[in-house]
Amino acid sequence: MFVLLAVPIGVVLGFLIGGRLDRLSQIRFEWGWLALAGLAVQILLFSTPVADSFSAGVGEAIYVASTGAVLLAVWRNLAVPGLALVAVGAISNLAAIVANVGVMPTTTEALATAGLSPDDAFSNSAVLEDPALAPLTDIFAIPAGLPFANVFSIGDVLIAVGIVLTIAIGMRRGDPETAAA
């Protein structure tokens, strides 16, 4: 949910720097179907009825594969301004997930700050005793009571900033005054 905030922020920033929304249609994003498929799988994967139905290891494997699919689509489009930062964030998240056997670790403190509790069902974040690559895990939180309260990682921040830049720069591209820039 945290990353979704990047879209309206990118649009507002794009307008503030003189961009136009219709210029986003000029961005050529190849393999978009793969990114959307990976994200759709994750939405289904972390819905309660689906999350409750997996045996050990299955949800984790699907999570790694779907995250890898999204990363592959982003990697294919590195020439799009801002997507290199998205790729760095996605690599950071994938590294943490793979290093922790298909789970993105979080802390009880981060969950408490966000007003969340550990869930027994398969979730995109789980409390682990001694996580590998701990600085890359979901150790930050948007406090409870604020919109989109949740835990997030430095990778999520990089992805969000990359999305903001992609949108803002995309809204500005095609402007004859900035085309040379």
Side-chain angles (χ1 to χ4, degrees):
M1 296 300 271
F2 170 79
V3 173
L4 292 178
L5 293 172
V7 174
I9 292 169
V11 170
V12 169
L13 181 60
F15 282 130
L16 290 174
I17 62 173
R20 293 192 345 226
L21 201 53
D22 64 325
R23 289 192 183 121
L24 290 177
S25 67
Q26 296 172 5
I27 296 175
R28 297 294 165 235
F29 190 88
E30 298 180 40
W31 297 1
W33 61 270
L34 184 60
L36 291 174
L39 293 171
V41 164
Q42 288 185 11
I43 289 169
L44 287 172
L45 180 63
F46 299 120
S47 68
T48 302
V50 175
D52 290 339
S53 68
F54 289 116
S55 58
V58 174
E60 291 86 345
I62 293 170
Y63 187 28
V64 169
S66 62
T67 301
V70 174
L71 175 58
L72 186 60
V74 170
W75 194 265
R76 178 70 174 96
N77 293 281
L78 284 180
V80 175
L83 286 188
L85 195 55
V86 172
V88 171
I91 290 167
S92 169
N93 284 350
L94 186 58
I97 293 165
V98 169
N100 290 285
V101 196
V103 174
M104 174 58 92
T106 189
T107 64
T108 54
E109 296 82 10
L111 286 173
T113 299
L116 303 172
S117 60
D119 194 355
D120 289 337
F122 182 67
S123 173
N124 60 328
S125 296
V127 176
L128 297 182
E129 186 67 31
D130 188 25
L133 303 177
L136 301 181
T137 64
D138 284 350
I139 56 175
F140 305 105
I142 297 174
L146 293 178
F148 301 105
N150 205 346
V151 295
F152 61 96
S153 67
I154 191 68
D156 295 331
V157 172
L158 294 172
I159 291 168
V161 171
I163 291 170
V164 167
L165 291 174
T166 299
I167 292 170
I169 292 168
M171 287 176 65
R172 187 80 172 148
R173 288 179 79 106
D175 183 341
E177 293 181 23
T178 62

mmCIF file of all heavy atoms in Angstrom, residues 80-105:
data_model
loop_
_atom_site.group_PDB
_atom_site.id
_atom_site.type_symbol
_atom_site.label_atom_id
_atom_site.label_comp_id
_atom_site.label_asym_id
_atom_site.label_seq_id
_atom_site.Cartn_x
_atom_site.Cartn_y
_atom_site.Cartn_z
ATOM 1 N N VAL A 80 13.722 3.681 -19.222
ATOM 2 C CA VAL A 80 12.698 4.647 -18.807
ATOM 3 C C VAL A 80 13.211 5.364 -17.566
ATOM 4 O O VAL A 80 13.547 4.714 -16.566
ATOM 5 C CB VAL A 80 11.352 3.933 -18.523
ATOM 6 C CG1 VAL A 80 10.326 4.925 -17.979
ATOM 7 C CG2 VAL A 80 10.829 3.232 -19.771
ATOM 8 N N PRO A 81 13.292 6.700 -17.611
ATOM 9 C CA PRO A 81 13.803 7.439 -16.450
ATOM 10 C C PRO A 81 13.045 7.094 -15.168
ATOM 11 O O PRO A 81 11.822 7.043 -15.162
ATOM 12 C CB PRO A 81 13.588 8.901 -16.841
ATOM 13 C CG PRO A 81 13.602 8.901 -18.330
ATOM 14 C CD PRO A 81 12.947 7.591 -18.722
ATOM 15 N N GLY A 82 13.800 6.825 -14.121
ATOM 16 C CA GLY A 82 13.229 6.502 -12.812
ATOM 17 C C GLY A 82 13.161 5.005 -12.536
ATOM 18 O O GLY A 82 13.174 4.583 -11.382
ATOM 19 N N LEU A 83 13.107 4.193 -13.588
ATOM 20 C CA LEU A 83 12.941 2.761 -13.364
ATOM 21 C C LEU A 83 14.209 2.076 -12.858
ATOM 22 O O LEU A 83 14.130 1.013 -12.247
ATOM 23 C CB LEU A 83 12.408 2.063 -14.612
ATOM 24 C CG LEU A 83 10.926 2.331 -14.906
ATOM 25 C CD1 LEU A 83 10.434 1.441 -16.043
ATOM 26 C CD2 LEU A 83 10.051 2.149 -13.684
ATOM 27 N N ALA A 84 15.365 2.688 -13.058
ATOM 28 C CA ALA A 84 16.583 2.107 -12.472
ATOM 29 C C ALA A 84 16.480 2.120 -10.952
ATOM 30 O O ALA A 84 16.883 1.158 -10.285
ATOM 31 C CB ALA A 84 17.818 2.871 -12.945
ATOM 32 N N LEU A 85 15.918 3.184 -10.397
ATOM 33 C CA LEU A 85 15.734 3.260 -8.944
ATOM 34 C C LEU A 85 14.692 2.240 -8.481
ATOM 35 O O LEU A 85 14.858 1.608 -7.431
ATOM 36 C CB LEU A 85 15.338 4.681 -8.541
ATOM 37 C CG LEU A 85 15.446 5.045 -7.074
ATOM 38 C CD1 LEU A 85 16.848 4.768 -6.534
ATOM 39 C CD2 LEU A 85 15.104 6.519 -6.881
ATOM 40 N N VAL A 86 13.646 2.054 -9.265
ATOM 41 C CA VAL A 86 12.646 1.025 -8.965
ATOM 42 C C VAL A 86 13.323 -0.347 -8.952
ATOM 43 O O VAL A 86 13.077 -1.162 -8.059
ATOM 44 C CB VAL A 86 11.479 1.052 -9.982
ATOM 45 C CG1 VAL A 86 10.543 -0.144 -9.778
ATOM 46 C CG2 VAL A 86 10.701 2.367 -9.878
ATOM 47 N N ALA A 87 14.201 -0.583 -9.918
ATOM 48 C CA ALA A 87 14.901 -1.869 -9.999
ATOM 49 C C ALA A 87 15.792 -2.091 -8.772
ATOM 50 O O ALA A 87 15.816 -3.199 -8.219
ATOM 51 C CB ALA A 87 15.731 -1.944 -11.279
ATOM 52 N N VAL A 88 16.506 -1.056 -8.334
ATOM 53 C CA VAL A 88 17.360 -1.192 -7.144
ATOM 54 C C VAL A 88 16.510 -1.550 -5.925
ATOM 55 O O VAL A 88 16.862 -2.433 -5.137
ATOM 56 C CB VAL A 88 18.185 0.088 -6.893
ATOM 57 C CG1 VAL A 88 18.895 0.033 -5.554
ATOM 58 C CG2 VAL A 88 19.188 0.309 -8.017
ATOM 59 N N GLY A 89 15.361 -0.886 -5.781
ATOM 60 C CA GLY A 89 14.458 -1.201 -4.672
ATOM 61 C C GLY A 89 13.900 -2.608 -4.767
ATOM 62 O O GLY A 89 13.822 -3.331 -3.765
ATOM 63 N N ALA A 90 13.537 -3.021 -5.978
ATOM 64 C CA ALA A 90 12.994 -4.368 -6.165
ATOM 65 C C ALA A 90 14.060 -5.432 -5.898
ATOM 66 O O ALA A 90 13.766 -6.467 -5.294
ATOM 67 C CB ALA A 90 12.430 -4.516 -7.574
ATOM 68 N N ILE A 91 15.290 -5.168 -6.322
ATOM 69 C CA ILE A 91 16.390 -6.100 -6.046
ATOM 70 C C ILE A 91 16.622 -6.195 -4.537
ATOM 71 O O ILE A 91 16.824 -7.291 -3.996
ATOM 72 C CB ILE A 91 17.673 -5.675 -6.786
ATOM 73 C CG1 ILE A 91 17.500 -5.904 -8.286
ATOM 74 C CG2 ILE A 91 18.889 -6.417 -6.258
ATOM 75 C CD1 ILE A 91 18.566 -5.244 -9.144
ATOM 76 N N SER A 92 16.577 -5.065 -3.859
ATOM 77 C CA SER A 92 16.741 -5.047 -2.407
ATOM 78 C C SER A 92 15.670 -5.895 -1.730
ATOM 79 O O SER A 92 15.968 -6.725 -0.861
ATOM 80 C CB SER A 92 16.669 -3.594 -1.909
ATOM 81 O OG SER A 92 16.562 -3.537 -0.518
ATOM 82 N N ASN A 93 14.422 -5.708 -2.135
ATOM 83 C CA ASN A 93 13.328 -6.486 -1.548
ATOM 84 C C ASN A 93 13.458 -7.966 -1.877
ATOM 85 O O ASN A 93 13.294 -8.821 -0.993
ATOM 86 C CB ASN A 93 11.971 -5.967 -2.039
ATOM 87 C CG ASN A 93 11.560 -4.687 -1.362
ATOM 88 O OD1 ASN A 93 12.169 -4.246 -0.389
ATOM 89 N ND2 ASN A 93 10.521 -4.059 -1.877
ATOM 90 N N LEU A 94 13.763 -8.277 -3.124
ATOM 91 C CA LEU A 94 13.887 -9.678 -3.520
ATOM 92 C C LEU A 94 15.036 -10.351 -2.778
ATOM 93 O O LEU A 94 14.900 -11.498 -2.341
ATOM 94 C CB LEU A 94 14.062 -9.800 -5.030
ATOM 95 C CG LEU A 94 14.050 -11.220 -5.594
ATOM 96 C CD1 LEU A 94 12.752 -11.942 -5.250
ATOM 97 C CD2 LEU A 94 14.255 -11.184 -7.106
ATOM 98 N N ALA A 95 16.140 -9.634 -2.604
ATOM 99 C CA ALA A 95 17.277 -10.199 -1.856
ATOM 100 C C ALA A 95 16.860 -10.544 -0.429
ATOM 101 O O ALA A 95 17.185 -11.627 0.079
ATOM 102 C CB ALA A 95 18.450 -9.224 -1.850
ATOM 103 N N ALA A 96 16.130 -9.637 0.219
ATOM 104 C CA ALA A 96 15.685 -9.891 1.593
ATOM 105 C C ALA A 96 14.712 -11.064 1.647
ATOM 106 O O ALA A 96 14.791 -11.906 2.546
ATOM 107 C CB ALA A 96 15.039 -8.642 2.181
ATOM 108 N N ILE A 97 13.822 -11.146 0.668
ATOM 109 C CA ILE A 97 12.833 -12.227 0.646
ATOM 110 C C ILE A 97 13.517 -13.574 0.400
ATOM 111 O O ILE A 97 13.249 -14.553 1.108
ATOM 112 C CB ILE A 97 11.755 -11.947 -0.430
ATOM 113 C CG1 ILE A 97 10.922 -10.719 -0.026
ATOM 114 C CG2 ILE A 97 10.857 -13.165 -0.642
ATOM 115 C CD1 ILE A 97 10.093 -10.143 -1.152
ATOM 116 N N VAL A 98 14.416 -13.621 -0.566
ATOM 117 C CA VAL A 98 15.109 -14.883 -0.876
ATOM 118 C C VAL A 98 15.996 -15.301 0.293
ATOM 119 O O VAL A 98 16.026 -16.476 0.675
ATOM 120 C CB VAL A 98 15.920 -14.751 -2.181
ATOM 121 C CG1 VAL A 98 16.854 -15.933 -2.376
ATOM 122 C CG2 VAL A 98 14.972 -14.616 -3.381
ATOM 123 N N ALA A 99 16.708 -14.335 0.883
ATOM 124 C CA ALA A 99 17.599 -14.653 2.013
ATOM 125 C C ALA A 99 16.835 -15.164 3.225
ATOM 126 O O ALA A 99 17.415 -15.826 4.089
ATOM 127 C CB ALA A 99 18.418 -13.420 2.397
ATOM 128 N N ASN A 100 15.547 -14.883 3.277
ATOM 129 C CA ASN A 100 14.720 -15.327 4.403
ATOM 130 C C ASN A 100 13.680 -16.363 3.957
ATOM 131 O O ASN A 100 12.576 -16.429 4.497
ATOM 132 C CB ASN A 100 14.073 -14.115 5.072
ATOM 133 C CG ASN A 100 15.104 -13.285 5.794
ATOM 134 O OD1 ASN A 100 15.575 -13.665 6.854
ATOM 135 N ND2 ASN A 100 15.485 -12.156 5.204
ATOM 136 N N VAL A 101 14.066 -17.151 2.978
ATOM 137 C CA VAL A 101 13.301 -18.304 2.504
ATOM 138 C C VAL A 101 11.862 -17.941 2.127
ATOM 139 O O VAL A 101 10.903 -18.609 2.519
ATOM 140 C CB VAL A 101 13.351 -19.457 3.532
ATOM 141 C CG1 VAL A 101 12.916 -20.774 2.902
ATOM 142 C CG2 VAL A 101 14.733 -19.621 4.127
ATOM 143 N N GLY A 102 11.717 -16.868 1.336
ATOM 144 C CA GLY A 102 10.408 -16.534 0.794
ATOM 145 C C GLY A 102 9.527 -15.668 1.665
ATOM 146 O O GLY A 102 8.334 -15.543 1.400
ATOM 147 N N VAL A 103 10.106 -15.049 2.681
ATOM 148 C CA VAL A 103 9.333 -14.189 3.582
ATOM 149 C C VAL A 103 10.057 -12.856 3.732
ATOM 150 O O VAL A 103 11.281 -12.820 3.834
ATOM 151 C CB VAL A 103 9.194 -14.855 4.975
ATOM 152 C CG1 VAL A 103 8.535 -13.925 5.973
ATOM 153 C CG2 VAL A 103 8.406 -16.149 4.866
ATOM 154 N N MET A 104 9.310 -11.765 3.733
ATOM 155 C CA MET A 104 9.883 -10.455 4.030
ATOM 156 C C MET A 104 9.747 -10.243 5.536
ATOM 157 O O MET A 104 8.644 -10.059 6.049
ATOM 158 C CB MET A 104 9.167 -9.336 3.280
ATOM 159 C CG MET A 104 9.647 -7.945 3.670
ATOM 160 S SD MET A 104 11.416 -7.626 3.450
ATOM 161 C CE MET A 104 11.416 -6.948 1.800
ATOM 162 N N PRO A 105 10.869 -10.287 6.252
ATOM 163 C CA PRO A 105 10.797 -10.118 7.709
ATOM 164 C C PRO A 105 10.384 -8.707 8.123
ATOM 165 O O PRO A 105 10.640 -7.732 7.417
ATOM 166 C CB PRO A 105 12.225 -10.396 8.164
ATOM 167 C CG PRO A 105 12.837 -11.172 7.059
ATOM 168 C CD PRO A 105 12.205 -10.638 5.813
#
